[in-house]
């Protein structure tokens, strides 16, 4: 059993994010981290490995040279090895271009289960996992808040607005997880030290099986950004201090009534 | 005439509010595209709603009347749409930017050589192409984007970005879509569908008023208070990650960076500090009200109306007053 966990390198969520004014893509000069949503996928993979030690867990990163530390971070949680795909030709890819690279890299590595986060905290499209599944002709069991491996397949609860669907699927399959699935542990000191000696491969696109390189990168993007403008600042609002006797509630009701909310 | 397709998002046999908003969005751009608005309904139930869809501007509804649409994960819907796209060559497809619908669009894009833009808050037509406005980075940046020439535009529209509006049209013509899912499409069956939606309360993405609670509520029972307030306002109930992490409210109601993005007319946050990751999910609300005992809480920076006070004092008073107004 081999699990491949595609993880993304993203601007730190605690900071403001910006678009690079020239390329209109995410400005990556700001501090970047392993996408926090991916920690839930990593935790799930580690738990599967704990229950079935013969499982091999491989983290997969598609990103520039600067994404290197992401591999060590992911490995420190207990994953076995890392593959980073770094190639200038990938720059400017949209969701479908990124999905093509991930799909080709995952096929080259070989896998039974592809374990994604349900979204990246920068692009936030949630498109990549389903696109990868489609490119590989596999079921896409997305938004899983429970995942269980059963004989030759999996059972999962897929979260949606009104509850969840329980589904079953054969393997290989593509799964994406939501935060509710588990509580990620912190990497241990031992894990951080062990990560240093784990294999970390860096591939360029020529290492990937079955990738049409004409279909990745800025030139192949199908969602094309034309303009980007900062949101105009919001005018300061009214702030009142409650006197403990309910005066503020009356003021709020009046404010809401003026705007026809009540 | 070419069609501008609207993928109907339905639940419990009825179209969701977003569907009528999608029809309004479609009507706004269809003339400039030289297209007419048609709906696609995957799953049973279209006939009972042909009048509503027509009244909101759909001239016809392509109906795949099969329980398979929701009986298996994603693929039957993708196959049905791919068949329709191949036969119909629509100008574009509009869909709801909700989780499972985005999956359908993602897979369809790969299959029919389309391009996807999600979460559009505005649509225009320039040089014959759909241009989508979108707020990225939690609303800090506004972009316009389009799908590259030669690819079918698949445009996801954000909730509450367009107002549903009747067009005065007669019932939509129901046209049967005749497809059978492949073996591959039925590999992942839905074995159980659990609906947990509470007491007729609207979903947070659909609601025009959302009342939301955080760590300041103190415990799960604080949400009972918020639910009472929400019900008086006809609103939905959301939560911060501190509250969902504590198990006080289910994760699917989490608003923010790693939860859901909402744009109601009114967002009313109580006991929420307004961390950047929370704001990323609600910053685009039309009006923001905050109740927090800390005058320095960042939520006040984006509040149109703020109350510095103890929510356990203010919210019960608010409920009292709203009840009194009702008489
Ligand atoms: C990667 C990442 C992703 C995240 N994603 C999300 C997300 O999607 N959504 C999200 O919400 N957060 C998210 N967070 C967490 C976020 O950073 C904050 O920790 C969280 O939003 C805090 O929730 P809170 O406002 O309820 O709690 P706190 O920040 O603890 O604030 C509680 C507030 O309640 C006030 N208060 C206390 N008692 C009372 C009272 N009696 N009356 C009135 N006010 C009172 C306090 O003054 C305080 O301001 C994320 C964090 C990270 C790192
Ligand atoms: N460049 C990337 N490298 C590896 N994984 C990625 C990359 N981009 C997206 N992903 C994966 O796809 C998921 C969904 O991302 P998105 O579709 O961008 O919201 C993420 O949580 C990651 O697991």
């Amino acid at each position: 059993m081999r699990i491949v966990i595609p993880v993304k390198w993203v601007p730190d969520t605690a900071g403001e994010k910006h678009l690079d004014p020239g390329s209109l893509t995410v400005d990556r000069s700001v501090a970047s981290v392993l996408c926090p949503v991916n920690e839930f996928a990593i935790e799930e993979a580690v738990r599967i490995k704990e229950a079935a030690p013969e499982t091999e867990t491989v983290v997969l990163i598609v990103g520039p040279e600067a994404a290197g530390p992401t591999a060590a971070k992911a490995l420190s949680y207990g994953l076995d090895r890392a593959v980073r795909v770094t190639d200038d030709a990938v720059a400017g890819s949209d969701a479908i271009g990124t999905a093509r690279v991930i799909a080709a890299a995952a096929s080259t590595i070989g896998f039974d289960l592809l374990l994604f986060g349900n979204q990246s905290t920068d692009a936030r499209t949630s498109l990549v996992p389903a696109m990868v599944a489609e490119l590989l002709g596999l079921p896409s069991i997305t938004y899983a808040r429970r995942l269980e491996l059963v004989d030759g397949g999996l059972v999962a609860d897929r979260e949606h607005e009104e509850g969840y669907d329980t589904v079953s699927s054969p393997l290989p399959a593509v799964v994406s997880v939501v935060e509710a699935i588990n509580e990620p542990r912190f990497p241990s000191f031992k894990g951080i030290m062990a990560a240093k000696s784990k294999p970390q491969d860096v591939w360029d696109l020529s290492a990937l099986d079955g990738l049409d390189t004409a279909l990745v990168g800025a030139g192949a993007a199908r969602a094309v950004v034309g303009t980007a403008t900062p949101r105009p600042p919001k005018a300061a609002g009214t702030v009142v201090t409650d006197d403990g006797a309910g005066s503020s509630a009356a003021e709020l009701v009046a404010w809401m009534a003026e705007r026809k909310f009540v | 005439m070419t069609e501008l397709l609207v993928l109907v998002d339905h639940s419990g046999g009825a179209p969701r509010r977003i569907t009528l908003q999608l029809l309004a969005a479609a009507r706004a751009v269809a003339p400039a595209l030289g297209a007419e608005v048609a709906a696609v309904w995957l799953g049973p139930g279209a006939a009972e709603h042909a009048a509503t869809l027509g009244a909101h501007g759909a001239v016809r509804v392509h109906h795949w009347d099969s329980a398979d649409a929701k009986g298996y994960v994603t693929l039957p819907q993708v196959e049905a749409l791919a068949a329709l796209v191949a036969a119909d060559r629509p100008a574009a497809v509009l869909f709801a930017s909700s989780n499972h619908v985005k999956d359908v669009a993602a897979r369809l894009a790969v299959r029919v050589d389309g391009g996807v833009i999600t979460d559009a808050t505005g649509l225009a037509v320039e040089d014959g192409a759909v241009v989508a406005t979108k707020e990225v980075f939690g609303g800090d940046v506004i972009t316009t984007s389009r799908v590259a020439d030669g690819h079918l535009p698949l445009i996801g529209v954000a909730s509450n970005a367009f107002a549903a509006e009747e067009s005065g049209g007669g019932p939509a013509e129901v046209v049967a879509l005749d497809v059978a899912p492949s073996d591959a499409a039925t590999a992942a069956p839905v074995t159980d569908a659990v609906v947990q939606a509470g007491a007729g309360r609207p979903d947070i993405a659909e609601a025009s008023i959302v009342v939301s609670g955080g760590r300041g509520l103190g415990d799960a029972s604080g949400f009972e208070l918020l639910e009472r307030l929400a019900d008086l306002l006809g609103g939905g109930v959301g939560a911060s990650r501190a509250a969902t992490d504590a198990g006080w409210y289910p994760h699917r109601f989490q608003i923010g960076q790693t939860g859901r993005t909402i744009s109601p007319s009114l967002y009313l946050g109580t006991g929420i500090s307004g961390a950047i990751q929370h704001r990323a999910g609600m910053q685009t609300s039309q009006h923001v009200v905050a109740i927090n005992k800390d005058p320095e809480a960042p939520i006040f920076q984006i509040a149109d109306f703020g109350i510095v006070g103890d929510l356990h004092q203010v919210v019960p008073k608010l409920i009292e007053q709203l009840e009194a107004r009702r008489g």
Side-chain angles (χ1 to χ4, degrees):
Chain A
M1 170 90 177
R2 187 183 293 135
I3 305 176
V4 171
I5 308 105
V7 310
K8 196 176 184 185
W9 172 77
V10 297
D12 190 348
T13 61
E16 304 281 339
K17 294 184 231 4
H18 302 282
L19 283 190
D20 176 65
S23 64
L24 300 180
T25 56
V26 178
D27 176 0
R28 299 201 177 274
S29 61
V30 299
S32 292
V33 296
L34 167 69
C35 180
V37 181
N38 289 140
E39 290 174 18
F40 297 84
I42 292 170
E43 174 67 29
E44 206 57 24
V46 171
R47 289 186 188 192
I48 293 169
K49 189 179 168 75
E50 282 170 347
E54 69 286 2
T55 307
E56 192 193 13
T57 53
V58 186
V59 61
L60 168 63
I61 302 149
V62 177
E65 202 63 50
T70 312
K73 176 78 194 279
L75 292 174
S76 69
Y77 288 96
L79 304 181
D80 297 318
R81 64 185 174 99
V83 172
R84 168 159 58 87
V85 180
T86 298
D87 196 312
D88 290 345
V90 180
S93 293
D94 62 355
I96 204 165
T98 304
R100 286 184 202 283
V101 179
I102 293 173
S107 305
T108 308
I109 297 166
F111 65 91
D112 303 286
L113 179 64
L114 267 181
L115 208 47
F116 289 83
N118 74 310
Q119 60 165 356
S120 56
T121 54
D122 56 350
R124 292 186 79 188
T125 68
S126 295
L127 294 173
V128 169
M131 284 175 165
V132 170
E134 180 67 24
L135 288 163
L136 297 171
L138 297 176
S140 42
I141 315 301
T142 48
Y143 306 97
R145 58 172 228 193
R146 179 179 73 92
L147 174 63
E148 214 179 298
L149 292 183
V150 294
D151 192 28
L154 63 85
V155 176
D157 290 340
R158 296 182 71 212
E159 186 170 83
H160 57 71
E161 296 81 355
E162 295 169 353
Y164 62 89
D165 290 346
T166 301
V167 302
S168 63
S169 170
L171 293 175
V174 168
V175 170
S176 82
V177 304
V178 295
E179 286 180 336
I181 195 167
N182 59 38
E183 259 184 67
R185 69 197 71 187
F186 291 102
S188 63
F189 179 70
K190 199 169 138 236
I192 295 168
M193 294 317 286
K196 296 193 204 302
S197 55
K198 289 178 177 172
Q200 296 191 29
D201 293 327
V202 181
W203 294 354
D204 62 17
L205 292 187
S206 68
L208 306 188
D209 297 337
L211 178 70
D212 181 350
T213 51
L215 295 180
V216 304
R222 296 182 187 173
V224 184
V225 179
T227 62
T229 37
R231 185 180 171 82
K234 203 169 170 170
T238 311
V239 178
V240 302
T241 301
D242 186 60
D243 59 4
S247 64
S248 67
E251 283 179 82
L252 175 54
V253 171
W255 184 90
M256 289 200 287
E258 233 171 81
R259 287 157 188 82
K260 309 240 177 318
F261 290 126
V262 291
Chain B
M1 205 185 227
T2 56
E3 291 180 335
L4 174 56
L5 287 179
V6 165
L7 177 58
V8 173
D9 192 11
H10 55 92
S11 155
R16 290 213 172 107
R17 252 175 72 160
I18 181 69
T19 297
L20 305 183
Q21 296 171 1
L22 288 170
L23 288 168
R27 273 196 293 131
V29 292
L33 292 170
E36 59 186 6
V37 177
V40 194
W41 185 301
L42 305 178
E48 295 90 277
H49 298 282
T52 308
L53 297 175
H56 286 264
V59 294
R60 75 185 62 78
V61 48
H62 299 278
H63 185 206
W64 187 38
D65 187 2
S66 166
D68 289 344
K70 290 202 171 158
Y72 303 91
V73 178
T74 317
L75 275 166
Q77 297 192 42
V78 175
E79 290 188 349
L81 281 169
L84 180 61
V85 165
D88 246 46
R89 308 247 140 246
V93 182
L94 302 188
F95 61 91
S97 277
S98 59
N99 293 349
H100 293 198
V101 184
K102 281 201 279 199
D103 280 356
V104 174
R107 297 196 73 130
L108 184 66
V110 173
R111 207 167 275 215
V112 305
D113 212 16
V116 192
I117 297 171
T118 60
D119 304 284
T121 53
L123 297 177
V125 178
E126 282 171 27
D127 313 322
V130 182
V131 176
T133 305
K134 174 170 172 164
E135 314 200 3
V136 300
F137 302 155
D140 290 341
V141 178
I142 298 168
T143 62
T144 58
S145 47
R146 64 173 77 193
V147 170
D149 286 349
H151 300 285
L152 175 68
L154 299 165
I155 314 280
V157 177
S159 275
N160 296 330
F162 290 84
E165 209 176 14
E166 296 205 1
S167 63
E173 173 199 6
V174 182
V175 183
L177 191 56
D178 190 16
V179 283
S182 69
D183 287 345
T186 54
V190 176
T191 55
D192 197 12
V194 179
V195 173
Q196 301 173 308
R201 211 166 284 129
D203 177 62
I204 52 174
E206 303 241 297
S208 28
I209 299 183
V210 172
V211 176
S212 140
R215 200 192 312 270
L217 283 178
D219 54 36
S221 70
F223 276 95
E224 289 165 23
L225 192 66
L226 286 197
E227 287 181 345
R228 278 174 60 206
L229 178 58
D231 291 345
L232 281 164
L233 295 166
V237 176
S240 73
R241 184 157 100 168
T244 57
D245 266 1
W248 299 348
Y249 221 56
H251 174 262
R252 65 179 191 282
F253 298 111
Q254 180 178 314
I255 295 164
Q257 176 97 56
T258 51
R260 292 167 64 195
T261 302
I262 59 165
S263 312
S265 308
L266 176 65
Y267 166 97
L268 196 160
T270 64
I272 290 184
S273 61
I276 190 166
Q277 296 94 346
H278 186 77
R279 296 206 307 266
M282 47 64 67
Q283 191 135 254
T284 56
S285 304
Q286 264 171 45
H287 296 89
V288 174
V289 171
I291 303 175
N292 193 306
K293 66 180 185 190
D294 174 10
E296 304 297 327
I299 188 100
F300 287 124
Q301 291 163 19
I302 55 161
D304 299 285
F305 192 93
I307 296 179
V308 179
D310 184 344
L311 73 92
H312 295 291
Q313 302 271 333
V314 179
V315 175
K317 296 253 162 54
L318 194 55
I319 289 173
E320 234 169 68
Q321 302 221 355
L322 291 171
E323 277 170 347
R325 277 179 76 93
R326 284 203 159 174

